[in-house]
Amino acid sequence: MDPALSAVRLTVQEAIHTLSSSEDVGHILSTLGTLKQYLGGTEDPALPEKEEFTTIHFSAVLRCLVSKLSPGWLELSPDGQLERLWESFFLDGPPDQAFLVLMEAIESTAGPSFRLMKMARLLETFLSKGRLAALMEEQCRPQTKPSFFLVQETLLSKVVGLPDHLGNRLQQDNLTPFFPQNYFPLLGQEVLQALKAVVSFLQGGLDCSVSFVSRVLGKACIQGRKKEILGVLVPQLTMLTQESCLWQRVCWRLVEQVPDRAVEAVLTGLVEAAPRPEVLSWLLGSLVVKNKKAQFVMTRKLLFLQYQHTTPMLQSLLGYLALDSQRRPLLIQVLQELLETWGNSSAVRHAPLEQQHYISKAILVCLAHLGASELQDIRDELLASMMAGVKCRLDSSLPPVRRLGMIVAEVISSRIHPEGPQLKFQYEDDEMSREMLALATPQPAGACSSETGGPSLAPVAMETPVETPENTVASDVPSAQPQGSDSELDSDDEFIPYDMSGDKELKSSKEPLYIRDCVEALTTSEDVERWEGALMVLEGLVYRSPEATREVSVELAKVLLHLEEKTSLADFEQLRQRALVAVIVTDPEQVAKYLTSQFYGLNYSLRQRMDILDVLVLAAQALSRPRSLQRLSQHCPPASGTSCSPALAISQPDNAMAPNWQLVVEERIKSKTRRFSKGCPRRELSGGPNEFNSVAGYFFFPLLQHFDRPLVTFDLLGDDQLVLGRLAHTLASLMYLAVNTTVAVPMGKALLGFVWTLRFHVDTYVRRGLLSAVSSVLLSVPTEQLLGDLPDELLEARSWLADVAEKDVDEDCRELAVRALLLLERLRDKLLSISSP
């Protein structure tokens, strides 16, 4: 054995014995000073002796120093020299051993104590001085020790799990730097410093590895801290990789050496944190081509299995695939697979609406990045997928699903047939539609989305001219005239325009005055003005002549049900609906029998069947109101978006248009009048019998009789699931309006049987209606009768509701199920409170 190495061993043994037994502060300081020389002091010993001390004896010396830590031992040196020298061994020595001994001492110290808090403060200083970066830098150097792998595993666990370890030991006394939200951004800074050291080593021609840093990054992301650590790393790496190819190679290697189990977490975090596709290209290179795990995550999992990501993230991901010629085949493959999923009828029925929206946006982004020649190569596949997807989406009962099919189909057809006629649909121009169409527009080079927001959805604003006096004058005057012309003398701009808002259009034919005249005009008259006038006054005539209406109520309902628009009459559908509702309210029994029988009749369109359901609900709503509110609703029904009926306008001419001077006088009187007390005006609500009570059965039960019997052109359990969903919502509304009626209990029992039959229906709209029906039963049927007459149905419904609230793919269905469960709990609590003494 080398005598120098033996001398080091003897020196360490004597020092440990002295530190363990001596109370002489001078002797202790001298011994620590001798040991400090082996860490690179003023009298630096030979390299083999230093290596012997740091690799073999340093951990034993640190454990001895930890064991001696106490207030009395530190007070042996009142000037603090002993404490500073003691701390220097942990802060100046090999960082990996010092870190492990510190963590070991903290975890082994029992309960709150001086030693525990002192070690925690020392660890805080250790982190603040950048020793964690030195630790990772040391692990990046080539290592030849046989136990190196085991040490790295221990370091990895302690470095990433430090907040958990410190939180468990310190409990309420935990220090702020050890909180996860503070520690992991610091860890990101230390990782960046370690990578800078690696780049310096490579520039100096030295060999190194980033494997340990990759494992630290992967483990932190697996534990759910990717936002904290990558939020610090990505902005710094973006600037460094943009300017240096060497930095790009280091980043590629960093991500390549992430363990397989952590690839998904790291790539997801990078895609979320990258502000634009170019950044992903700098950080990842062609990793998606080389690594099968990365390819699966980037092209399958982030696009098909997850749909919570933002639109900017989706644009960054697909833009990354489009930036390089090696990755563009993957983009084409992704587009084909997305369209295959988008056109799958099973996926349309069972996938959540959010996921369908996400996939549709991905398709539009792919189309925006692909060129015309690339699309022509896969034109047949795109056309086949588009036709299949449009068919199954237009058959959906949910308007958002249909709208997604229309928008995507329009964009695909315009890209694969740019020279031919464009496919056009009519859909609502809302925020979602504008966002989808904006995604289909190719982004200019260099355009990037912010990390927190998506791309601007509004069209580019036109440049507005600076407002000048000349422009202001020109905007007020219809046509500018040359200055000094005679037209200025003849101008009538100073006159106040005459108010013509109350004028009425003069018609050559008179409006019908009787119900039978209206029926005749609507069925046989060829006079367009008479036909329009009959429809416009029909509602008012029905309410003013109830006896005459009852004589022809069924015939009038038949005429209105089959009435088609002959002219471009504004609000035709609303006028027809309001007139039909008025007929039902006037003669509910007979008209309800007729309409419910026609609902399952032959030779009716789906639109007419849904009109029947709509007017039944509106009429039931009107009948269930008190008479005073019913009279008011006769003029302004809740479903109409127009003004009051013409009859009301005729009976109250010019009452709403008081002269301006009267309003001014009334305001002056109010402002000058002094009142000592003024109570809130209260309107007495007039009571009265519920007119829906006696006819609720005619509205409700016939709709339940034949829903399971398919007709030649009408199959509720087949393709006509839109009408089935509307039927479920209608029955739920009728059940709710039948609250406190004598027929509520049998209606509730029948409705729960209907729900139980269809509870596993695949259509989302139908399930929403069924869940609404359950809530209506719970709200309408009295508690005692509900629990007394329907106990078995409620138990079955409760288990089904719990399953829907937990597993249904549609968010609205889950929310409706939770509301129904809350109603059940309230009913149970109410019953217990009534039964308890």
Side-chain angles (χ1 to χ4, degrees):
M1 179 180 291
D2 191 348
L5 301 183
S6 301
V8 172
R9 179 175 300 178
L10 291 175
T11 302
V12 171
Q13 290 177 353
E14 292 177 0
I16 292 176
H17 177 72
T18 301
L19 294 174
S20 302
S21 58
S22 177
E23 296 293 334
D24 184 2
V25 65
H27 198 187
I28 294 174
L29 292 174
S30 175
T31 302
L32 291 177
T34 302
L35 295 177
K36 187 68 182 295
Q37 295 178 359
Y38 293 108
L39 293 179
T42 54
E43 298 178 2
D44 196 11
L47 183 61
E49 298 178 14
K50 179 179 178 180
E51 184 178 356
E52 167 81 8
F53 177 76
T54 55
T55 56
I56 299 177
H57 307 293
F58 184 64
S59 297
V61 171
L62 293 181
R63 292 187 179 92
C64 177
L65 292 176
V66 170
S67 64
K68 292 299 296 180
L69 181 61
S70 65
W73 190 74
L74 294 179
E75 289 175 358
L76 293 176
S77 176
D79 57 355
Q81 182 180 1
L82 177 58
E83 183 176 1
R84 291 192 296 271
L85 190 58
W86 177 83
E87 291 180 351
S88 66
F89 277 84
F90 292 91
L91 301 178
D92 298 338
D96 51 349
Q97 299 184 51
F99 179 75
L100 290 176
V101 171
L102 281 173
M103 294 297 296
E104 176 187 337
I106 291 173
E107 293 175 2
S108 61
T109 303
S113 62
F114 171 80
R115 176 179 298 178
L116 179 61
M117 294 307 300
K118 185 66 178 176
M119 299 303 296
R121 294 288 183 187
L122 181 58
L123 181 59
E124 178 185 3
T125 306
F126 182 90
L127 297 179
S128 65
K129 290 186 174 295
R131 300 301 292 167
L132 206 55
L135 183 152
M136 289 186 282
E137 176 186 340
E138 187 67 27
Q139 300 304 311
C140 292
R141 297 175 183 271
Q143 302 289 337
T144 58
K145 302 175 186 177
S147 60
F148 174 69
F149 181 76
L150 295 177
V151 173
Q152 271 203 349
E153 286 296 323
T154 306
L155 284 172
L156 179 65
S157 174
K158 301 296 182 183
V159 167
V160 180
L162 185 142
D164 296 333
H165 293 295
L166 270 296
N168 290 334
R169 294 306 303 160
L170 298 178
Q171 300 291 330
Q172 301 296 331
D173 299 326
N174 197 9
L175 303 179
T176 303
F178 301 143
F179 292 167
Q181 62 269 25
N182 299 328
Y183 174 75
F184 284 100
L186 173 65
L187 182 60
Q189 290 287 355
E190 300 298 280
V191 167
L192 184 64
Q193 296 302 320
L195 292 178
K196 289 181 178 179
V198 168
V199 171
S200 299
F201 294 156
L202 295 175
Q203 290 174 341
L206 300 178
D207 191 15
C208 58
S209 171
V210 293
S211 174
F212 181 76
V213 181
S214 299
R215 293 165 65 189
V216 168
L217 183 63
K219 194 173 184 64
C221 292
I222 282 182
Q223 293 187 359
R225 298 297 173 179
K226 55 180 178 290
K227 288 186 178 180
E228 289 89 343
I229 190 169
L230 292 177
V232 174
L233 271 177
V234 170
Q236 299 292 331
L237 292 178
T238 300
M239 294 186 295
L240 294 171
T241 53
Q242 185 177 3
E243 301 172 354
S244 171
C245 295
L246 180 58
W247 267 103
Q248 291 184 16
R249 297 292 297 275
V250 170
C251 289
W252 299 349
R253 192 65 175 169
L254 175 70
V255 183
E256 287 175 4
Q257 294 194 352
V258 170
D260 285 346
R261 64 181 181 275
V263 167
E264 179 184 350
V266 173
L267 290 181
T268 303
L270 287 174
V271 175
E272 289 176 348
R276 56 186 187 275
E278 293 82 2
V279 175
L280 273 182
S281 185
W282 297 335
L283 297 180
L284 301 180
S286 295
L287 176 70
V288 71
V289 179
K290 302 176 184 176
N291 190 313
K292 293 298 181 182
K293 176 76 174 182
Q295 181 176 331
F296 173 77
V297 171
M298 299 281 280
T299 62
R300 296 290 302 178
K301 202 156 192 179
L302 295 181
L303 295 175
F304 295 91
L305 304 180
Q306 300 175 5
Y307 52 90
Q308 76 278 9
H309 304 297
T310 62
T311 302
M313 173 181 170
L314 192 61
Q315 291 176 308
S316 295
L317 171 59
L318 297 173
Y320 160 74
L321 296 178
L323 279 178
D324 189 80
S325 58
Q326 294 182 349
R327 302 192 291 264
R328 289 189 74 86
L330 289 177
L331 182 65
I332 298 175
Q333 177 185 342
V334 163
L335 176 60
Q336 292 174 323
E337 294 174 351
L338 284 170
L339 279 173
E340 181 180 354
T341 303
W342 184 79
N344 191 323
S345 59
S346 177
V348 173
R349 289 195 303 268
H350 297 94
L353 179 60
E354 295 80 4
Q355 185 175 15
Q356 299 187 44
H357 189 194
Y358 184 80
I359 290 179
S360 300
K361 290 193 293 185
I363 292 174
L364 297 182
V365 175
C366 289
L367 291 172
H369 285 293
L370 290 175
S373 59
E374 294 170 314
L375 292 175
Q376 290 302 318
D377 294 339
I378 55 173
R379 176 176 175 174
D380 296 337
E381 293 86 343
L382 294 181
L383 184 59
S385 300
M386 183 195 74
M387 297 301 296
V390 169
K391 180 182 182 302
C392 62
R393 288 182 180 277
L394 293 182
D395 291 339
S396 174
S397 57
L398 297 179
V401 176
R402 297 198 295 269
R403 198 183 317 156
L404 287 176
M406 298 175 191
I407 295 174
V408 175
E410 282 186 359
V411 175
I412 293 177
S413 65
S414 65
R415 294 301 309 275
I416 62 178
H417 294 289
E419 70 287 346
Q422 300 298 320
L423 181 63
K424 289 294 181 183
F425 293 95
Q426 293 182 352
Y427 49 83
E428 183 181 357
D429 184 18
D430 58 357
E431 183 179 356
M432 186 194 79
S433 304
R434 290 191 294 270
E435 178 189 8
M436 298 288 289
L437 294 176
L439 291 176
T441 305
Q443 294 288 330
C448 61
S449 305
S450 63
E451 296 181 41
T452 57
S456 176
L457 304 183
V460 179
M462 298 296 291
E463 292 186 5
T464 58
V466 179
E467 187 172 345
T468 62
E470 291 79 7
N471 291 339
T472 306
V473 173
S475 63
D476 295 335
V477 182
S479 60
Q481 299 291 341
Q483 185 176 5
S485 64
D486 294 338
S487 61
E488 292 183 355
L489 301 177
D490 299 334
S491 175
D492 56 357
D493 293 340
E494 67 272 10
F495 295 111
I496 300 176
Y498 185 75
D499 185 10
M500 303 177 65
S501 59
D503 291 0
K504 297 180 180 179
E505 182 182 358
L506 295 177
K507 298 182 179 180
S508 59
S509 59
K510 295 183 179 180
E511 296 175 343
L513 299 178
Y514 301 99
I515 295 293
R516 293 185 182 274
D517 293 341
C518 286
V519 175
E520 180 184 355
L522 292 175
T523 53
T524 61
S525 177
E526 297 295 334
D527 187 352
V528 174
E529 291 186 358
R530 182 173 175 79
W531 185 88
E532 292 180 352
L535 185 59
M536 294 177 67
V537 301
L538 180 57
E539 181 190 8
L541 290 177
V542 168
Y543 284 127
R544 289 201 303 269
S545 307
E547 295 298 332
T549 302
R550 293 188 184 98
E551 295 177 2
V552 293
S553 58
V554 175
E555 180 184 357
L556 182 55
K558 182 178 181 181
V559 170
L560 291 172
L561 183 61
H562 293 84
L563 189 64
E564 296 181 356
E565 186 176 4
K566 296 181 178 180
T567 63
S568 300
L569 177 63
D571 303 327
F572 166 78
E573 292 294 339
Q574 294 181 5
L575 290 172
R576 184 175 72 101
Q577 184 186 75
R578 287 160 54 182
L580 194 52
V581 170
V583 175
I584 302 175
V585 171
T586 305
D587 191 9
E589 181 178 344
Q590 298 300 324
V591 180
K593 283 183 180 179
Y594 169 74
L595 291 178
T596 52
S597 65
Q598 298 304 304
F599 179 74
Y600 291 106
L602 295 172
N603 301 324
Y604 281 94
S605 65
L606 298 182
R607 179 69 265 173
Q608 288 175 313
R609 299 181 199 274
M610 289 191 290
D611 287 343
I612 292 174
L613 297 176
D614 291 341
V615 297
L616 287 175
V617 172
L618 293 174
Q621 186 177 1
L623 289 170
S624 62
R625 292 173 177 160
R627 277 216 177 261
S628 60
L629 296 179
Q630 193 179 124
R631 291 193 200 100
L632 183 62
S633 67
Q634 290 171 7
H635 302 296
C636 296
S640 68
T642 62
S643 59
C644 299
S645 65
L648 181 63
I650 295 173
S651 62
Q652 298 176 349
D654 299 331
N655 284 346
M657 294 182 289
N660 292 334
W661 64 268
Q662 292 183 2
L663 298 177
V664 173
V665 171
E666 290 178 2
E667 289 296 330
R668 288 181 180 177
I669 293 175
K670 289 181 181 179
S671 63
K672 299 296 183 180
T673 304
R674 184 179 181 186
R675 292 181 174 88
F676 295 97
S677 64
K678 183 179 179 181
C680 297
R682 295 185 179 180
R683 181 181 177 183
E684 294 293 336
L685 297 178
S686 60
N690 186 350
E691 297 184 8
F692 187 57
N693 180 22
S694 58
V695 295
Y698 300 108
F699 283 70
F700 185 84
F701 291 108
L703 295 177
L704 284 173
Q705 289 181 353
H706 306 300
F707 75 91
D708 55 346
R709 299 181 186 177
L711 301 176
V712 177
T713 58
F714 186 50
D715 186 7
L716 283 178
L717 300 183
D719 296 334
D720 299 324
Q721 52 195 7
L722 175 61
V723 185
L724 179 62
R726 185 69 66 87
L727 174 62
H729 283 86
T730 300
L731 294 173
S733 300
L734 295 175
M735 183 73 242
Y736 179 74
L737 294 172
V739 60
N740 297 326
T741 59
T742 56
V743 76
V745 176
M747 285 176 63
K749 192 167 186 176
L751 186 55
L752 287 180
F754 173 78
V755 170
W756 195 250
T757 303
L758 300 173
R759 66 190 185 279
F760 296 125
H761 201 280
V762 296
D763 188 76
T764 302
Y765 186 59
V766 175
R767 294 200 305 275
R768 292 178 185 176
L770 299 177
L771 293 167
S772 300
V774 174
S775 298
S776 298
V777 172
L778 298 176
L779 291 170
S780 301
V781 181
T783 305
E784 296 79 6
Q785 295 179 347
L786 191 65
L787 297 176
D789 298 344
L790 308 173
D792 298 335
E793 289 85 349
L794 291 181
L795 287 176
E796 293 174 345
R798 190 180 189 283
S799 61
W800 171 62
L801 290 172
D803 187 67
V804 172
E806 181 181 358
K807 300 178 181 178
D808 200 286
V809 297
D810 184 66
E811 183 179 359
D812 290 338
C813 288
R814 295 195 299 270
E815 183 178 351
L816 289 170
V818 171
R819 291 180 179 178
L821 287 172
L822 291 176
L823 290 175
L824 273 175
E825 293 297 325
R826 290 180 183 177
L827 290 176
R828 187 192 66 176
D829 296 341
K830 183 178 180 181
L831 184 64
L832 292 176
S833 63
I834 294 175
S835 61
S836 61

